[in-house]
Amino acid sequence: VVVAAKEAEPPRGTTVIAGETILFTVSDYNPGPGSRTDVVITDVIDATLTDVVPMNGGVYDEVSRTIRWPTIAVLAGGESGHVQFTAVVEPLSPSEQVIYNQAVFTTPDLPTPAETNVTEHPILHTPDLAVAKACPPQILTGETATYTITVDNLGFGTAEGVILTDTLPAQVTYV
């Protein structure tokens, strides 16, 4: 038996925002009594994740969307370890979609692979509004000034029901 587990930061079940980075940790433990040989850890990455960066010697194949870590020659009874990777939530993935991720351990010592628990992260798209106001540097009494207000959505969600309020200085009259 190989006991396999998977955790994530932010924790599984937590809603993530498009563009956010998730750190995944895959843990293995051999409760014994015997050793396991040639243990291979693989992880197929959800299509809503990009910029995959495996750690601990893992190699990411973009075509198969799979990370494969170096083979553990011997995992003795009582030994444990972990591998990690980071990935970014695809900015253009649909809101309310859920990212599912699970790793698999294989060894010729066991008839079936050991699978980790599944991590789940619902995706939320949020707007990120930037407001800029431009006006002439100096206005003489009696002159007409034009103020330009620009609102940009730098986020990945639609901004609905936005109300922009601009209070003019006391010395200025709205025309």
Side-chain angles (χ1 to χ4, degrees):
V1 172
V2 173
V3 178
K6 185 156 201 176
E7 296 300 326
E9 186 56 44
R12 66 177 180 244
T14 303
T15 299
V16 292
I17 299 169
E20 184 174 352
T21 299
I22 304 173
L23 169 66
F24 293 94
T25 302
V26 180
S27 301
D28 58 331
Y29 172 65
N30 178 6
S35 295
R36 299 293 175 239
T37 59
D38 300 324
V39 178
V40 175
I41 306 169
T42 57
D43 197 329
V44 177
I45 307 304
D46 191 287
T48 56
L49 295 173
T50 63
D51 300 326
V52 177
V53 179
M55 295 171 235
N56 314 100
V59 176
Y60 178 58
D61 179 345
E62 290 185 31
V63 175
S64 67
R65 301 194 55 80
T66 302
I67 301 174
R68 186 180 194 282
W69 281 273
T71 300
I72 302 168
V74 176
L75 183 61
E79 280 191 339
S80 64
H82 73 274
V83 293
Q84 295 180 307
F85 71 95
T86 59
V88 175
V89 179
E90 168 62 52
L92 301 178
S93 58
S95 195
E96 299 177 12
Q97 184 170 343
V98 178
I99 299 168
Y100 296 98
N101 191 256
Q102 181 178 39
V104 176
F105 292 76
T106 57
T107 173
D109 301 330
L110 298 174
T112 55
E115 296 178 339
T116 66
N117 53 295
V118 176
T119 60
E120 300 176 2
H121 289 90
I123 299 172
L124 176 65
H125 289 244
T126 58
D128 179 10
L129 301 180
V131 179
K133 181 177 179 180
C135 63
Q138 184 177 7
I139 305 168
L140 300 176
T141 303
E143 285 187 332
T144 300
T146 301
Y147 291 84
T148 303
I149 299 174
T150 306
V151 180
D152 290 312
N153 184 354
L154 306 175
F156 300 107
T158 302
E160 297 178 16
V162 175
I163 297 173
L164 177 65
T165 304
D166 183 37
T167 305
L168 296 175
Q171 307 85 348
V172 177
T173 308
Y174 181 74
V175 185

